[in-house]
Amino acid sequence: MKNMELLETEELVELAVKLDQKQKKGRQELDAAKAELTARGIQILEDRNTRYVKFYSPAGTAAIADGKSLDILNAAKLRNLLTEEVWRSKVSETTETKYKCDAKFEQMLKAVFTDDFTFEYTLEEFLDQMEEVPDAKQKKLLLRKLTGNYAKDRQTLCSVFHYPDTGDTAPDFDVELYYISKIKNGELIRAFLPEEGLDETIKQIKKCLIVETKTSITIDYNKEKE
């Protein structure tokens, strides 16, 4: 870093221009690299029917994930489909008459809209049918720590089964993560919605919402080595 106080004004302007040009060029190249990584990630997400993939290099990682944004179209109808206790405890109205949901409740609504849930297995039943069946201690830990979040659950599976969570040697656990996510969403649906007439309630809730999918990319590396 140059000592700015020692530079003539003309030199300082010239340096500022060059740095700005360099920054803009770097931003353009970074955007292009992110776009290509995102495109490759989306292809893998579609091929594997998953929502998260992580690429590795010696310098760092790039994670591609599908996120979902929720918009409540008919709040009055949705409220009538829920118990008053659930609505009051999980939804708040802002001064702009927008609705902000509790994180778990929002996750449940997104799952309902996208059919991203299953009642086929309980989590305990599914763990017993995995390709790598956990022992009693591992199973107890997984039942407590698995959340339905792809990235966190992959780390949990790698940790519990003693796999490194880096590089190509780490298992992808795609099938396991896919079902775990759906099972955890199914648990949320049963927790928030009345059991009686559940199928019809799910059908009606879909009419009250709109959920849009957005793909994000996260670049990660050791900041201390910059």
Side-chain angles (χ1 to χ4, degrees), residues 73-195:
L73 300 177
N74 192 331
K77 183 176 181 179
L78 178 61
R79 184 170 186 168
N80 288 333
L81 293 167
L82 305 168
T83 64
E84 189 65 20
E85 180 183 0
V86 168
W87 179 266
R88 288 185 176 276
S89 63
K90 300 302 178 183
V91 182
S92 58
E93 298 182 22
T94 68
T95 55
E96 301 176 35
T97 321
K98 292 184 179 180
Y99 299 92
K100 182 175 178 60
C101 298
D102 169 271
K104 289 294 185 183
F105 184 68
E106 181 173 335
Q107 180 182 339
M108 183 276 292
L109 292 177
K110 290 176 180 177
V112 166
F113 186 87
T114 58
D115 290 319
D116 188 21
F117 63 90
T118 183
F119 301 133
E120 184 179 359
Y121 307 104
T122 65
L123 183 56
E124 186 171 5
E125 290 170 343
F126 177 74
L127 293 178
D128 289 335
Q129 299 181 42
M130 286 174 55
E131 184 174 341
E132 185 163 355
V133 180
D135 60 31
K137 184 177 179 180
Q138 292 171 327
K139 183 178 178 181
K140 184 177 180 180
L141 186 60
L142 289 172
L143 287 173
R144 188 172 76 248
K145 296 193 68 174
L146 292 172
T147 64
N149 179 290
Y150 264 62
K152 292 180 179 178
D153 285 352
R154 184 179 184 279
Q155 291 178 346
T156 296
L157 290 173
C158 286
S159 174
V160 169
F161 290 119
H162 306 294
Y163 289 110
D165 186 26
T166 57
D168 296 332
T169 59
D172 52 43
F173 289 118
D174 282 344
V175 173
E176 290 85 354
L177 293 169
Y178 175 76
Y179 276 102
I180 289 168
S181 175
K182 284 182 171 289
I183 290 167
K184 296 302 289 186
N185 284 340
E187 290 177 359
L188 286 178
I189 290 171
R190 290 196 182 278
F192 287 124
L193 301 183
E195 191 68 31

Side-chain angles (χ1 to χ4, degrees), residues 12 69 183 213:
L12 196 57
S69 61
I183 290 167
T213 300

